[in-house]
Amino acid sequence: MESTYRVQYLGLEAGTAQITVGTQTTHWGSQVLPIVTLARSSSALDFYPIRDKFVTYWDPSNDRCVGSDLFAEENRTRRRLRIKLDHQAGKATVMRQKDGSAEKTSTHDVESGTFDIAAATFSLRNRELAIGKTFELPVFTGTRSFTLRATVEKKEMVATALGSKETFKVRVQTGFGGKLESKRDLL
């Protein structure tokens, strides 16, 4: 399965995000589906080019993420982030590495069943949605944890290239901080 999304910022096309669900494989001792997201900035943003690859390792039999890898190239600077989740111990092992620097590893306490943001989104897609229903999912970013809250607001028709489709409108509240902090909810 593969989906491509246009990303807009302030009404301008900022780039694309291509999401592909890979073939089942074994990773860190679990049977997982790698969910690969490729983010690319548009040529209009050549002053700050983005070429990121994010892979979350999804364990469908347990509805959870076992970890992730981020290979980021932003404004011609490269970095790597690897997160391995140990749900039984309630721990996340984080490895960071900037281009030309040594790896730095740290361990963080996390709630059992913690997701990364991509896995939380994938988990929500597989839930039974109903108007008024709210889901709360623990998310770990590599530095901090927050609870993602998603509330199903209504059903609505959306025009697509394949014709009109009935969809659910879901309001998502995240706990991102720093550069990704948002003053508004995601829809």
Side-chain angles (χ1 to χ4, degrees):
M1 179 182 97
E2 181 176 291
S3 299
T4 301
Y5 300 91
R6 288 186 333 221
V7 178
Q8 293 185 336
Y9 182 72
L10 299 175
L12 301 173
E13 187 164 327
T16 59
Q18 180 184 38
I19 302 171
T20 305
V21 179
T23 305
Q24 189 166 13
T25 187
T26 302
H27 196 70
W28 292 322
S30 296
Q31 288 295 305
V32 299
L33 293 172
I35 302 170
V36 181
T37 303
L38 300 175
R40 303 286 184 256
S41 57
S42 71
S43 59
L45 297 178
D46 271 349
F47 61 91
Y48 195 93
I50 296 173
R51 305 282 182 268
D52 292 352
K53 177 180 179 180
F54 182 78
V55 183
T56 188
Y57 303 103
W58 176 253
D59 176 352
S61 64
N62 292 304
D63 186 33
R64 68 180 181 196
C65 171
V66 299
S68 61
D69 281 304
L70 169 67
F71 305 91
E73 184 178 334
E74 298 166 351
N75 200 23
R76 298 167 188 84
T77 302
R78 294 181 183 168
R79 64 185 170 91
R80 181 169 177 215
L81 174 70
R82 169 172 272 180
I83 300 171
K84 183 178 178 186
L85 296 169
D86 182 339
H87 294 280
Q88 287 183 327
K91 300 286 183 190
T93 302
V94 178
M95 185 281 298
R96 296 176 184 286
Q97 184 177 27
K98 291 185 179 177
D99 209 10
S101 300
E103 290 181 7
K104 294 180 181 177
T105 303
S106 58
T107 303
H108 304 262
D109 293 327
V110 294
E111 187 177 326
S112 181
T114 289
F115 297 92
D116 59 44
I117 194 68
T121 302
F122 202 78
S123 179
L124 282 172
R125 289 177 47 109
N126 294 310
R127 307 270 171 129
E128 187 74 32
L129 301 181
I131 297 169
K133 196 166 188 179
T134 298
F135 301 93
E136 293 189 352
L137 303 173
V139 173
F140 179 66
T141 66
T143 53
R144 61 187 287 278
S145 295
F146 67 87
T147 300
L148 179 142
R149 286 180 184 78
T151 303
V152 182
E153 292 189 339
K154 65 181 180 177
K155 282 187 177 183
E156 63 184 16
M157 296 301 288
V158 173
T160 73
L162 300 174
S164 291
K165 301 290 180 187
E166 186 175 54
T167 64
F168 285 99
K169 183 176 185 178
V170 179
R171 180 173 300 278
V172 179
Q173 299 169 324
T174 66
F176 287 123
K179 294 178 188 176
L180 296 178
E181 185 176 8
S182 176
K183 303 296 183 211
R184 294 181 279 166
D185 297 339
L186 304 174
L187 293 173

